[in-house]
Amino acid sequence: MGCAASTAEIPIELAENKDTEQLTVFDSKYVVPGPKNMMLHLKAKVFSFSGDSYQILDSNNENKVVFQCQGKFLNFDHKRVICDADGMPIFVITEPLMQIDDKQVVHRVTPEGKPSEELFRVGSNFGNTAQYTQNLKNTKGDAITLNGKMSLVSMKGGIWLGPAGKGQAVAKVCSPVTYKDFLPDDFDRNDYIVEIPPGVDSALILAMVLAYEKMEQTYD
C-alpha cells in the first residue's frame, strides 16, 4: 500500500532504507521498524492550535500514538514543542529574527521544552515549492542533505536523501483520500498523511515536514 501518483511530476516509490545509521538524526528509537511503512496522520496548521495537546498517530498501526504536540510545553515565544509518545520533548522549531529568507531552525530541547542545540535548518525557494536542509548531520556525524517537493495545498509531494526526484525517496505526503479503502474515517478535510518507509528516522521526517508547514503559513 502506498501513495499512488503522489505528485503529478515526480513518481515516488518508497523502499526500506538498509543503512539505518545514515538516516538517524534524533535517536534510533524513532527509526521505523517495519515491516510496514509508518503513516503519520497530521493536521494542517498544527502550530496554529490553542494550548490543547495534539496527538500524531500512525494510521498504519492501529492509530498508535507516536508523537505529541503538548500545550503544556508552549514556551516563552509560543513555539510548539514536539514530544514522543510518552510526552518527553524531542525538538522545537524556531524562526530566526530579522532574516531575509524564510528558514526554520530545528533544535533539541531541554526537559522543560526550551530550545537548546541547533540540529539543522530547513529552507525553501521562492514560493516554497522546493525545500532543503542545511547543516544536517546524522548521529555518526556524517553530513547529509534532504530535499523536498511538497505541497499542502494539493497534499502531494515527497522528501529525498539527495536531489529531489533523483535521490533516495524517504517520505511521501498524501491526502487521506488515497487510503479511503484502508484507513478509518476519522480524517478532517485538512488532514494529511506522511508515509515513511522502514529504516528512516521518523522524527527527522516529521521535523522537516512541520518546518515546511510553518514556512507555508507565511504564504496564507
Side-chain angles (χ1 to χ4, degrees):
M1 183 171 63
C3 300
S6 287
T7 62
E9 301 84 5
I10 304 176
I12 304 172
E13 296 295 333
L14 296 177
E16 180 180 359
N17 174 53
K18 301 296 185 180
D19 186 357
T20 58
E21 288 187 324
Q22 183 183 30
L23 284 170
T24 301
V25 170
F26 287 95
D27 193 285
S28 59
K29 66 182 179 181
Y30 303 122
V31 172
V32 179
K36 299 185 296 183
N37 290 353
M38 179 177 285
M39 297 169 71
L40 297 179
H41 175 184
L42 294 169
K43 296 182 180 295
K45 300 185 178 180
V46 59
F47 291 108
S48 298
F49 289 176
S50 67
D52 295 337
S53 296
Y54 160 57
Q55 294 181 329
I56 298 173
L57 312 177
D58 181 359
S59 294
N60 206 24
N61 188 15
E62 300 180 344
N63 277 334
K64 178 182 177 182
V65 177
V66 285
F67 298 104
Q68 300 184 59
C69 183
Q70 294 212 0
K72 70 178 182 179
F73 283 114
L74 276 173
N75 60 25
F76 67 96
D77 55 359
H78 301 288
K79 300 298 183 185
R80 284 253 173 206
V81 177
I82 301 301
C83 305
D84 65 16
D86 297 319
M88 294 299 297
I90 306 172
F91 67 83
V92 66
I93 301 173
T94 66
E95 183 173 333
L97 297 175
M98 307 296 291
Q99 64 172 343
I100 298 175
D101 51 15
D102 194 26
K103 289 186 176 66
Q104 303 293 316
V105 184
V106 179
H107 302 261
R108 294 193 190 275
V109 289
T110 67
E112 296 75 34
K114 299 282 180 72
S116 58
E117 173 192 2
E118 178 179 326
L119 288 173
F120 61 96
R121 297 189 176 208
V122 178
S124 69
N125 64 347
F126 181 77
N128 202 18
T129 58
Q131 306 81 31
Y132 55 89
T133 61
Q134 289 184 330
N135 308 322
L136 176 61
K137 294 183 179 181
N138 59 28
T139 52
K140 296 192 299 180
D142 298 334
I144 57 175
T145 301
L146 299 184
N147 287 281
K149 288 185 70 68
M150 296 180 277
S151 170
L152 292 185
V153 175
S154 59
M155 295 184 184
K156 294 180 181 179
I159 299 174
W160 291 262
L161 174 65
K166 298 180 180 179
Q168 176 187 347
V170 295
K172 301 186 201 183
V173 175
C174 298
S175 166
V177 174
T178 306
Y179 301 102
K180 62 182 180 180
D181 295 330
F182 303 96
L183 301 180
D185 296 326
D186 57 345
F187 285 89
D188 183 87
R189 64 185 181 87
N190 292 319
D191 293 0
Y192 60 101
I193 290 287
V194 177
E195 184 176 3
I196 309 168
V200 176
D201 186 339
S202 58
L204 168 62
I205 299 301
L206 179 62
M208 184 167 182
V209 171
L210 293 182
Y212 154 68
E213 182 175 323
K214 284 172 68 72
M215 291 188 290
E216 187 70 11
Q217 289 178 24
T218 67
Y219 293 91
D220 290 348

